[in-house]
Amino acid sequence: MHARTVPLAAALALVASPAFAAESKELAASAQAVLKAHCYRCHGQDGAVEGGVNYVTDLAKLVGRKKVVPGDPAASRLFKRIDDGTMPPPGEKDRPSAEEIEAVKKWIAAGASTGDAAPTRTIVASGDVYNHILADLETMDRRSRRFQRYFSLAHLHNAGLSAEELQTYRNALNKLVNSLSWGSKVVNPVAVDPLKTVLRIDLRWYVWDATIWNRVLQEYPYGVLEDTTAARAASVGTLTKVPVVRADWFVATASRAPLYYDVLQLPASVTEVEKLLRVDAVANIQQERVERAAFNGSGISRFNRILERHDSAHGMYWRTYDFDEPPANLGDRLNGNLVPDPRNVFAFPLGPAGLAEFPFKHAGGEAIFALPNGLHAYYIMNANNNRLDKAPQAIVSDPKRPDRAVEAGVSCMSCHVTGIIPKADQVFDHLAKNPKAFTRAEGDLIKALYPGKDAVIKSMEDDAKNYAVAVAKTGARVSKYEAVSTITLKYEADLDLEVAAAEVGLTPNQLREKIDTSETLRKHFGALRAAGGTVSRQIWLQAFGDVTRELKLGTLFLASLNGPTNADNTGELDPLESRDGSANQMAFTADGLRAVVASSDRSVRLWDVEGRRAVKPLVGHTASVWSVALSLDGKFAISGSMDGTARVWDIDSGREVRKYAEHAGLVSAVAFNPNGKWGVSGGFDGVVAAWKVATGEELWRLEKQGTVTALAVDPTGAHVFVAANRSVHVLELGTGKPVRTHGPFRAPVVSLGVSPNGKWYAAGSDDGTTRVWKLGETAADFTLTGHTGPVRSVALKDGKWVLTGGADGTVRLWDTAVKAAPAAVFGKHGHPVVTAAFLANGTQTISGDRELTVLPWKVDKFMGPRPMVPPERIDHPVGPPDTIPYAQP
């Protein structure tokens, strides 16, 4: 027994020794250098994806994806290809030496160490995506923002894809969007974040508009409306509810009909397509201005095929005539004689019907034509020239597609990787060998339409060269493994736990835990819990609505609820409007008995808290309402809307007493000065203004402040606090002059609050943090963390007690002397909390959520035996009520 265990112990000690570790690292570096020198150019460089392998220098992935079997070179597919000389391909002149091959072998035999530990990957959350989008929009002119749309690779980055793999996705996206364009130039999406996971396009680059983008969103299964300031600001700036879609989904879906046709704006008939291209096919054939090639065995078509080239407005237009396979026994007879089948192009090379006395009889065909930017578009049609999404498999097939059907777009790209595939004509030679098969007139016409294989192949090669030049501009390359079709197959593959988790912004362990605790998710995705378990993409899509609800990702987008578009058809007039009457913000009276509610259904309502009903509507706004405030005496309310106005209301009468209409977009924040005679408003148009409630006259106005997301007025009348561009600005209330700026922070500031004595102020952010400052100081005294979503509301008692309400549905009471955790958490809300406030009675808080549930909370027991001192009032003090029942945390 000891004779056997001693060598094992010695071996383990050797593996753990520094010398062995150093040797393994050296072997890994040597092997990686060989792969970089001889394999990387085709398998990763610039996103090249030959063989579907674009990670050849990522040693960990080679092992994880079983291209390499540690300890066994003979079983390792990578090494076998190198050793037998098939990789690099035989045509490559620069080949690995015997020493280099031996280096790879030694590395595998020694256990295939991955060398240095991979650096910790920065996770890009969905909130980060919107932060990047908002930051990008803020760099451009406001009029340009409505044309911007975005694609995200964040979930793929989070799933661990290498830089080379991600570049393949960018190449595919670049090629596809430009292949769906009627613009005159190739213009590639622009990365807007350091990791290049968020990519921007301008609709004008490709001659798209809101109709095209909304057509994309009709198919988009992952549209989630997030309850963050950044997401709302991005929607307002771009004028669309969903300004970003996943790049891999887009590549896999917009490359396939019918979405392919619709984004490219192709009509229902190829005859109409020819009109767009200024091609008169009938006249061209009659005037012998075409080049034809006909042959058997195209590789796609099961029988004969004719290719026909026309000049077009943008270069070339090729179409095919494809044929049914004729039956073995021909039943048609004419005058008692057996006649050739009109599906045989060697007997009937002229046509189509109407253009020859004895025309061929085709069953359909495909068209390939140059777009203005030099890339190619594709079209499949039946014998009547009407559009088809898929070609009949009895005629043509695509072995790479799951159902083997040729699909317009992706199948054509996969096949025509070089553009037009050179095919030699056989009819011209057939005529030469069988001159008596046709009349002299027919023979002359055949020679005119079929100029011979050399002439046609030259045209094909010239068109292919032009296409290669255009493809190179997208960053992709003409090769056997075309980027769009490769990424489409990757997207359509089954999901494992790692990929599924990345798609919902979780780690694999977190998703496993969610599945374990959710009966709904267990039914759908229980297979993911097992080692190596997968689910199909179709099941994942089918259940994504349940995933969204169970994981509380947000509100699932419904394309049918899109609103009216603006005049230039680049977006919705109000992308934030909804019809459900949910609350966006509330302002409570000091006694907590009433609230004024701002809603995205255009309404402002006076709400009876105890009765849980609307007392009266405040009618006037013509778009969704997102901000509201009450004067300290409770007599007036002010609201801000997407219609660009701030409106002042008399609470008793419900009458509008003033409209301030000097904003050019969403009025996202409003407030009164302490005596209620001034209104202060801020908007996504970058404007902050103070104005007289009585007349609407401006007292001061600041422009170009960025996207204003929140503001709060000091109850002492000294300052106004403004959140914009992820920063907090302290201004003089009387003049608007800047006093101090904090930030920029990682995420936008959602909410602001000021203590009654004006000595403390706080800011809640989209990332769940709350910062508290003492007036006059630059650094925050406290940073409070704990919310798992945006902090939608913040209120202060003094520098010690802070109340926050979050989109995670919780209200938290913080003792800033204890920074590790909140003093108490109130979790009775089932929906995002939009407003939370201290009541004047000194014993309670009150909070309201999106679904108009308003709940009080007894907090004096957390704050000590003595009741809270009622907030300082400038005027019209309100005594503490005793009528609101307590709610327990």
Side-chain angles (χ1 to χ4, degrees), residues 478-502:
V478 171
S479 66
K480 182 179 179 181
Y481 288 86
E482 191 273 330
V484 172
S485 55
T486 299
I487 294 308
T488 297
L489 292 174
K490 287 181 178 292
Y491 170 80
E492 293 172 335
D494 293 346
L495 291 78
D496 60 18
L497 182 64
E498 183 178 27
V499 172

Side-chain angles (χ1 to χ4, degrees), residues 782 799-800 814-820:
F782 312 105
K800 179 175 174 60
W814 305 83
D815 180 350
T816 56
V818 183
K819 304 176 186 178

Side-chain angles (χ1 to χ4, degrees), residues 512-577:
R512 187 183 286 111
E513 291 173 2
K514 295 291 186 182
I515 293 173
D516 288 342
T517 57
S518 167
E519 181 179 354
T520 299
L521 296 183
R522 281 200 305 274
K523 288 180 179 179
H524 290 309
F525 311 124
L528 292 176
R529 299 172 66 252
T534 61
V535 296
S536 71
R537 176 62 69 175
Q538 290 82 355
I539 292 296
W540 182 253
L541 292 175
Q542 185 184 69
F544 194 76
D546 289 337
V547 174
T548 301
R549 286 186 293 272
E550 291 292 302
L551 301 184
K552 297 182 179 179
L553 301 179
T555 303
L556 199 64
F557 166 70
L558 298 176
S560 61
L561 298 181
N562 284 345
T565 59
N566 60 357
D568 61 9
N569 197 31
T570 52
E572 294 183 57
L573 289 173
D574 184 1
L576 300 181
E577 184 175 0

Side-chain angles (χ1 to χ4, degrees), residues 568-590:
D568 61 9
N569 197 31
T570 52
E572 294 183 57
L573 289 173
D574 184 1
L576 300 181
E577 184 175 0
S578 68
R579 302 165 192 169
D580 59 4
S582 58
N584 293 324
Q585 194 173 51
M586 298 180 183
F588 294 103
T589 56

Side-chain angles (χ1 to χ4, degrees), residues 87 105 113 159 223 227 232 237 257 346-347 351 439 464 502 513 564 599 636 709 729 762 845 888:
M87 191 175 88
K105 184 177 182 180
S113 165
D227 191 17
R232 281 192 292 276
F346 295 96
T439 66
E513 291 173 2
S599 177
F636 294 93
T709 51
H729 307 280
T845 70
Q888 299 301 317

Side-chain angles (χ1 to χ4, degrees), residues 556-713:
L556 199 64
F557 166 70
L558 298 176
S560 61
L561 298 181
N562 284 345
T565 59
N566 60 357
D568 61 9
N569 197 31
T570 52
E572 294 183 57
L573 289 173
D574 184 1
L576 300 181
E577 184 175 0
S578 68
R579 302 165 192 169
D580 59 4
S582 58
N584 293 324
Q585 194 173 51
M586 298 180 183
F588 294 103
T589 56
D591 56 13
L593 297 177
R594 296 286 177 92
V596 180
V597 180
S599 177
S600 50
D601 65 356
R602 305 186 182 185
S603 70
V604 181
R605 285 166 282 175
L606 181 62
W607 190 258
D608 180 348
V609 171
E610 288 187 297
R612 299 182 181 181
R613 63 186 181 87
V615 176
K616 66 181 66 170
L618 308 178
V619 179
H621 284 297
T622 59
S624 56
V625 187
W626 285 88
S627 54
V628 67
L630 272 168
S631 61
L632 287 177
D633 59 12
K635 293 184 176 181
F636 294 93
I638 183 173
S639 57
S641 168
M642 183 67 183
D643 64 10
T645 69
R647 300 175 189 243
V648 180
W649 311 90
D650 183 306
I651 293 297
D652 288 339
S653 67
R655 181 174 59 88
E656 179 185 309
V657 298
R658 181 60 54 206
K659 178 173 71 174
Y660 178 78
E662 298 302 318
H663 286 279
L666 174 65
V667 180
S668 53
V670 292
F672 285 102
N673 77 328
N675 64 18
K677 295 182 178 181
W678 294 6
V680 184
S681 56
F684 282 10
D685 59 354
V687 171
V688 180
W691 36 275
K692 292 182 179 180
V693 169
T695 64
E697 175 190 353
E698 283 186 357
L699 298 161
W700 52 262
R701 178 184 180 90
L702 301 177
E703 298 185 347
K704 299 182 180 179
Q705 300 301 297
T707 302
V708 177
T709 51
L711 62 80
V713 169

